[in-house]
């Protein structure tokens, strides 16, 4: 018997792999009539020290990301997913999703892309590897 998921969490960052993961998550949520939760992480390490200290800069970055992630939510709804919500967290993506987002959202399945969009970590897939190893739920890594 195939597993039927109730809540699917998908991480998005605009990388090609994350977009594939998002498409797969839409398919899985529709197939299981599951809630789809879309998460994007505002990475503080991409800001220089002056930007990080500027509340206006951080607020602007977060606001821009909030607007952007709503496009993903709309796309999922237009694709036929009936229960969709999106959220933003701050920090290191793998650790933040495993230690903060998953306990809060309580998904049955985490779907992520294998490569990050930015930084040296994109070459090693370290965020995906971290989540696959430490997440307390099933993890599907998309290439």
């Amino acid at each position: 018997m195939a597993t039927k998921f109730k809540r699917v969490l998908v991480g998005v960052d605009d990388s090609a792999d994350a977009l594939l993961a998002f498409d797969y998550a839409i398919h899985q949520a529709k197939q299981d009539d599951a809630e789809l939760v879309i998460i994007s992480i505002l990475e503080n390490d991409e800001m220089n020290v002056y930007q990080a200290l500027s509340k206006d800069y951080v607020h602007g970055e977060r606001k821009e990301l909030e607007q952007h992630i709503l496009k993903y939510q709309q796309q999922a709804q237009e694709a036929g997913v009936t229960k969709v919500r999106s959220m933003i967290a701050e920090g290191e993506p793998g650790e933040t999703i495993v230690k903060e987002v998953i306990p809060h959202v309580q998904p049955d399945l985490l779907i992520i892309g294998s490569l990050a969009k930015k930084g040296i970590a994109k070459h090693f897939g370290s965020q995906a590897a971290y989540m696959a190893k430490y997440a307390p739920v099933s993890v599907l890594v998309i290439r």
Side-chain angles (χ1 to χ4, degrees), residues 3 6 10 17 38 40 44-45 61 63 67-68 85 93 96 100 102 104 107 131 134 142:
T3 301
K6 295 178 185 155
V10 62
D17 285 357
I38 306 162
S40 193
N44 298 333
D45 65 340
E61 286 281 302
K63 197 73 174 160
Q67 292 299 315
H68 187 63
R85 62 182 160 126
T96 301
E100 297 174 24
I102 289 175
H104 176 73
M131 289 182 270
Y134 294 108
I142 303 293

Side-chain angles (χ1 to χ4, degrees), residues 15-76:
S15 68
D17 285 357
L19 295 174
L20 289 173
F22 178 66
D23 288 343
Y24 194 94
I26 287 173
H27 171 76
Q28 189 69 51
K30 282 174 51 177
Q31 178 179 305
D32 293 347
D33 191 30
E35 177 183 15
L36 179 62
V37 182
I38 306 162
I39 180 71
S40 193
I41 306 295
L42 180 60
E43 296 181 63
N44 298 333
D45 65 340
E46 293 177 4
M47 298 177 210
N48 68 42
V49 68
Y50 300 107
Q51 292 169 328
L53 292 172
S54 168
K55 288 184 178 148
D56 290 337
Y57 182 84
V58 174
H59 179 73
E61 286 281 302
R62 185 177 182 92
K63 197 73 174 160
E64 189 177 305
L65 187 56
E66 286 171 355
Q67 292 299 315
H68 187 63
I69 200 170
L70 286 176
K71 293 176 186 173
Y72 283 101
Q73 185 172 335
Q74 183 178 4
Q75 185 179 340

Side-chain angles (χ1 to χ4, degrees), residues 74-91:
Q74 183 178 4
Q75 185 179 340
Q77 289 167 331
E78 288 171 357
V81 181
T82 56
K83 298 170 272 192
V84 185
R85 62 182 160 126
S86 58
M87 57 189 298
I88 293 174
E90 293 182 32

